[in-house]
Amino acid sequence: MDNQIVLQMNHIMKIYGNGVVANEDVSLELRKGEIHALLGENGAGKSTLMKVLFGLESPDQGEILLNGQSTVIKSPQDAISKGIGMVHQHFMLVPSLTVAENIILGVAPKKGLFIDMDKAVDAAQSIAKEYNFDIDVRDKVEEIPVGIKQKVEILKALYRGAEILILDEPTAVLTPQETDELFIQLVKLREKGHTIIFISHKLDEIKQICNRATIMRNGRSMGTYEVADISTKEMSKLMVGREVSLQFEKNEQHLTDNIFMKVRNLTVNNSQGVLKVDNLSFDLKGGEILGIAGVEGNGQTELIDTLTGLNKKYKGTIEIKGKEIANASIDDIRSLKLAHIPEDRMSTGCAKTLSIQENLFSNQYKDPKYSGRAMLKRKAIEKRSDELIKEYLVKCRNRKQSVGMLSGGNIQKVIVAREFSTGPDIIIANQPTRGIDVGAAAFIRQRLLEFRDAGCAVILISADLTEIFSLSDRLAVMYKGKFAGFFTDVENVTEEELGQHMLGIKKDDVLEGVMYE
């Protein structure tokens, strides 16, 4: 890394139409050939700052200097033309196209009026080779693993001439092995003179790979630090304004005699007829957290959709509290005291045009505490909404604000507050802390442990292996619809061993500890 400054964002101010001050006098400076971390709690203003840089938002005040020259970035296309690329947390690839077609999309070499596919393949292959990305560009995107998709997104940006690369939560869905591989590639990019903005909540990863870090809190910058000179504890304190315990006490487990969920020979095909859950059986008792790890796309989503009643097309049996759920509605399943934090907070977790209050009570309006014979008990609902907003630290103007106006992490807090406040016996938590800052994540994890200690049964699906290891009492690894590993002695499992099961390198005959009878 040299000290040449390639980008300055000076005194950026961004106020949204609803009066929310997202960025207040924020400055950011990038040096050529550095990996620069951007971190902060949800709602701290990181995403807004990057949207301004990538031309998705216009700042109300402040200026951007690119290589010392004042510039205005009007759109993402404008940003790309100026050498700024962005890899979003949710990939922007077309699954039905090949890797090469995705890389050259919109800037394809032409032969007359048509795309010159031979040239396109050569161009894609040569850029992959230039950056040492081991990818077959003829593969269809829908058939490649998540780690390779991440690399395709990076190549797509590099093909368009990105000198500055914004990576938003790049390791959120990767195995430890894929993360190591990505870091090798990022170091190579740094050595070639590219500058990388690395947005992450994983402080240990920032320590591992970043040169400097800019920390944000409540829309303001708390300063830029040399990563080597600051501890993860100091980082988290600057982010949230208080000490955050990254460790928590896990009490001794007390299993109940109740088998709250019994799954036998569950087989699920997706809408294209592809086998996604393959003859799976397991039990879940009160007083335990069953962790399920796995690379995305190995049947976790289909398993959870089926257990929660979202999918009715399956073979096998599912019993919740002794009741078969084949003909049960989602409402019936909910009435068995099952809570569900869904994987995708925007499409299935909330109604983004409705208010925070309406979202908080969308599953409780039949409760006599909040519903009279003819009318809802408005005062009781308002009082409880305000209590939950305070208890779950939701950053908002008030309970009437629409959920869609909140940051991703605050939307997640509303969903978690709604699900946890129903007094559940069973919690299915699918990526409960994805994209959430350390303070909020610690709060949610602590609550899951409290529910477990109170005799609740929890299924935790998470791509965060630290979370899986620290919370799970039993741990399953899903690979191609089956349990490829099942561990009852979680403390003695290593990340490497878990990663080998997640990638299908290692497979066990799983019987021991899956069922209680």
Side-chain angles (χ1 to χ4, degrees):
M1 180 179 76
D2 60 32
N3 286 329
Q4 183 193 336
I5 294 166
V6 290
L7 178 100
Q8 287 166 282
M9 299 181 80
N10 294 333
H11 310 292
I12 300 294
M13 181 80 105
K14 178 64 190 177
I15 303 169
Y16 285 115
N18 58 3
V20 171
V21 181
N23 288 155
E24 187 179 347
D25 194 29
V26 178
S27 294
L28 174 71
E29 178 191 278
L30 299 181
R31 293 176 189 159
K32 185 175 175 65
E34 77 167 327
I35 301 178
H36 192 112
L38 184 62
L39 63 155
E41 283 191 288
N42 296 104
K46 307 182 301 292
S47 296
T48 299
L49 190 66
M50 290 303 98
K51 283 177 181 173
V52 167
L53 180 55
F54 196 56
L56 289 160
E57 295 285 357
S58 303
D60 296 310
Q61 222 172 288
E63 69 167 347
I64 297 171
L65 300 176
L66 203 52
N67 296 311
Q69 301 292 311
S70 183
T71 187
V72 176
I73 301 170
K74 300 186 182 78
S75 66
Q77 287 74 21
D78 194 17
I80 291 162
S81 73
K82 290 179 163 80
I84 300 167
M86 186 165 184
V87 177
H88 298 269
Q89 195 175 345
H90 302 288
F91 300 148
M92 306 287 191
L93 300 171
V94 182
S96 57
L97 297 182
T98 64
V99 168
E101 287 166 335
N102 271 279
I103 288 172
I104 55 98
L105 199 60
V107 285
K110 295 277 179 69
K111 191 192 278 179
L113 292 171
F114 301 99
I115 291 173
D116 187 334
M117 271 323 294
D118 290 339
K119 250 192 184 167
V121 168
D122 287 346
Q125 198 69 68
S126 72
I127 195 163
K129 196 176 172 190
E130 183 190 340
Y131 287 97
N132 297 311
F133 280 42
D134 186 15
I135 297 174
D136 186 341
V137 299
R138 293 174 187 82
D139 287 345
K140 276 201 170 177
V141 161
E142 62 196 354
E143 290 161 6
I144 61 176
V146 174
I148 303 289
K149 286 178 186 163
Q150 177 83 265
K151 291 177 184 175
V152 175
E153 282 280 21
I154 292 171
L155 284 176
K156 208 168 94 179
L158 294 171
Y159 184 73
R160 285 156 179 73
E163 288 295 325
I164 296 169
L165 200 54
I166 305 163
L167 301 181
D168 188 5
E169 296 282 344
T171 65
V173 293
L174 303 184
T175 65
Q177 285 88 341
E178 287 170 325
T179 297
D180 291 343
E181 180 61 32
L182 175 68
F183 284 1
I184 290 165
Q185 307 288 358
L186 295 185
V187 169
K188 284 176 183 165
L189 287 174
R190 177 169 68 189
E191 285 166 358
K192 279 180 174 279
H194 292 279
T195 301
I196 296 160
I197 300 174
F198 187 89
I199 304 170
S200 178
H201 291 113
K202 297 179 181 179
L203 303 183
D204 51 342
E205 290 184 356
I206 286 167
K207 287 292 283 181
Q208 188 183 337
I209 196 169
C210 296
N211 303 100
R212 297 189 303 150
T214 296
I215 300 172
M216 293 189 68
R217 182 163 95 221
N218 294 332
R220 302 181 73 109
S221 168
M222 305 307 291
T224 297
Y225 302 84
E226 293 289 336
V227 170
D229 299 339
I230 186 169
S231 69
T232 52
K233 207 169 185 180
E234 288 168 318
M235 281 187 208
S236 58
K237 191 175 179 184
L238 282 161
M239 281 165 64
V240 298
R242 63 183 188 280
E243 289 273 349
V244 177
S245 171
L246 301 174
Q247 301 294 319
F248 33 78
E249 287 300 310
K250 188 173 172 188
N251 296 327
E252 194 183 331
Q253 187 186 14
H254 295 289
L255 273 176
T256 68
D257 292 332
N258 304 335
I259 294 180
F260 277 143
M261 189 177 282
K262 186 184 279 190
V263 176
R264 294 293 180 270
N265 309 111
L266 183 66
T267 301
V268 182
N269 293 311
N270 69 8
S271 52
Q272 286 84 42
V274 177
L275 181 66
K276 297 302 284 185
V277 180
D278 186 0
N279 199 30
L280 209 59
S281 298
F282 65 93
D283 290 337
L284 182 69
K285 274 192 173 183
E288 74 166 323
I289 297 177
L290 170 62
I292 299 179
V295 175
E296 273 193 17
N298 277 283
Q300 303 95 310
T301 301
E302 290 78 8
L303 171 64
I304 297 312
D305 283 354
T306 308
L307 296 181
T308 53
L310 291 166
N311 169 48
K312 288 292 182 193
K313 292 179 180 173
Y314 64 90
K315 288 178 186 154
T317 60
I318 302 167
E319 288 180 15
I320 297 178
K321 292 183 172 176
K323 292 192 172 75
E324 242 285 8
I325 65 159
N327 299 314
S329 66
I330 290 174
D331 205 23
D332 295 335
I333 293 168
R334 287 277 192 170
S335 69
L336 296 168
K337 291 198 154 186
L338 181 139
H340 176 209
I341 301 167
E343 178 181 20
D344 187 335
R345 53 181 165 242
M346 296 314 288
S347 63
T348 49
C350 71
K352 58 186 179 189
T353 56
L354 297 185
S355 70
I356 295 168
Q357 178 175 297
E358 287 164 327
N359 272 279
L360 284 170
F361 280 86
S362 58
N363 60 347
Q364 296 178 63
Y365 60 89
K366 291 181 182 174
D367 188 323
K369 285 203 294 273
Y370 307 113
S371 179
R373 283 185 184 173
M375 303 280 281
L376 291 171
K377 296 176 180 175
R378 193 166 53 84
K379 285 253 162 58
I381 290 173
E382 287 174 355
K383 182 172 181 283
R384 186 66 180 133
S385 294
D386 289 341
E387 286 169 0
L388 288 172
I389 286 166
K390 193 175 174 187
E391 186 184 345
Y392 285 83
L393 310 170
V394 180
K395 280 187 190 164
C396 61
R397 285 208 317 279
N398 54 48
R399 66 181 116 83
K400 293 177 183 167
Q401 191 176 348
S402 76
V403 157
M405 297 306 296
L406 303 180
S407 72
N410 281 299
I411 293 170
Q412 188 76 351
K413 290 180 195 173
V414 170
I415 294 163
V416 170
R418 178 187 70 214
E419 297 304 316
F420 284 3
S421 64
T422 56
D425 287 336
I426 303 163
I427 297 171
I428 295 181
N430 196 347
Q431 312 294 351
T433 63
R434 178 180 283 171
I436 286 198
D437 55 78
V438 282
F443 179 80
I444 290 170
R445 288 166 186 161
Q446 196 60 55
R447 295 312 285 261
L448 284 171
L449 286 173
E450 286 166 14
F451 277 110
R452 167 240 196 207
D453 293 346
C456 196
V458 180
I459 293 178
L460 169 68
I461 295 92
S462 180
D464 185 329
L465 297 190
T466 308
E467 178 167 271
I468 279 275
F469 277 124
S470 53
L471 298 183
S472 303
D473 297 299
R474 296 187 299 156
L475 177 52
V477 179
M478 276 192 88
Y479 180 73
K480 293 193 173 173
K482 286 182 179 289
F483 286 159
F486 201 95
F487 308 95
T488 50
D489 184 14
V490 178
E491 279 181 17
N492 293 317
V493 184
T494 65
E495 278 207 10
E496 189 184 349
E497 191 182 353
L498 200 66
Q500 287 178 336
H501 282 89
M502 288 167 75
L503 294 166
I505 297 164
K506 211 171 177 184
K507 288 182 213 156
D508 302 336
D509 285 332
V510 175
L511 287 170
E512 187 198 347
V514 178
M515 293 173 278
Y516 283 110
E517 0 178 278

